[in-house]
Amino acid sequence: RLYFHCANTCGKDKISFNDRFAFIKDQLPKVLESGSSVSKALAPGAFWQSAEKPFQCLAVCREIWLAHQTPDPSTYVCSLPIHSDGSCNGLQHFVAISRDHFGAKFVNMQQSTSDMVPEDAYSGVLNVVLQIVAADAAAGHPEATRLQGQISRKTVKQTVMTTVYGVTAYGARNQIARQLRANV
């Protein structure tokens, strides 16, 4: 689990568990070096310094190093809190309550294997929105033409997330407009 957490702190949380494990195994000498001492951690170019969440990465590098100092690293008792995030939690609850087998796939509530890439409901919605905008732009709608290249996962995330909590059309429009203004 420490390897997965370390990979997640490096922004690798959207790849399969197998790929996360392989990423850390490939980087293990650098991970262990970063966790071995303060002087090595502070050396220019140390592994954790380029992580998406560098201080969390440094902490887990230290725990991995400590685990590797034991005869059996799998028995090491770690005291580091390991962050675990759901996939669009509100939608997960909605899918569970409604027993929606189709929706369960998009919020990672179905059986999976360690070689599967996690699903991302936000990216799924983004792809549909991009298709609609492209079709509208091709039909000559000037608003759609202006929006091309401006819409990202972040643009739709808040609205997708708050839909199950009852965001109004007015509120959703304001959320999207705020994100679009931030992109420009």
Side-chain angles (χ1 to χ4, degrees):
R1 293 184 193 238
L2 288 175
Y3 284 20
F4 300 127
H5 181 57
C6 191
N8 289 349
T9 66
C10 295
K12 304 293 184 185
D13 56 326
K14 302 292 185 221
I15 62 176
S16 74
F17 284 111
N18 285 351
D19 289 344
R20 289 180 227 189
F21 185 78
F23 170 75
I24 295 303
K25 286 293 277 186
D26 288 345
Q27 300 295 321
L28 194 57
K30 294 177 185 177
V31 169
L32 293 173
E33 185 175 25
S34 286
S36 66
S37 70
V38 173
S39 62
K40 290 183 180 175
L42 294 177
F47 175 77
W48 67 276
Q49 294 172 5
S50 61
E52 191 173 278
K53 297 175 182 171
F55 293 108
Q56 288 181 29
C57 184
L58 176 59
V60 75
C61 286
R62 179 66 178 171
E63 290 295 318
I64 291 171
W65 182 83
L66 289 169
H68 278 265
Q69 302 313 298
T70 65
D72 180 4
S74 69
T75 63
Y76 176 72
V77 177
C78 174
S79 60
L80 184 69
I82 304 296
H83 175 75
S84 180
D85 195 7
S87 300
C88 198
N89 298 87
L91 193 54
Q92 281 182 324
H93 285 81
F94 190 75
V95 163
I97 290 168
S98 64
R99 297 181 182 204
D100 177 4
H101 294 282
F102 179 76
K105 174 184 186 284
F106 298 102
V107 291
N108 298 300
M109 291 182 66
Q110 286 186 339
Q111 185 73 24
S112 65
T113 61
S114 59
D115 63 333
M116 292 175 64
V117 175
E119 291 289 337
D120 181 25
Y122 309 119
S123 293
V125 170
L126 172 63
N127 290 334
V128 171
V129 169
L130 292 175
Q131 289 173 6
I132 293 169
V133 169
D136 286 351
H141 295 285
E143 295 87 0
T145 302
R146 281 196 304 273
L147 287 175
Q148 288 189 307
Q150 301 298 315
I151 302 171
S152 67
R153 180 181 179 273
K154 189 174 180 179
T155 308
V156 300
K157 182 177 178 180
Q158 184 181 23
T159 305
V160 172
M161 196 175 0
T162 57
T163 296
V164 295
Y165 298 112
V167 69
T168 63
Y170 176 79
R173 201 169 26 253
N174 285 340
Q175 291 170 348
I176 292 167
R178 185 172 37 254
Q179 289 300 328
L180 289 172
R181 279 193 298 275
N183 287 350
V184 175

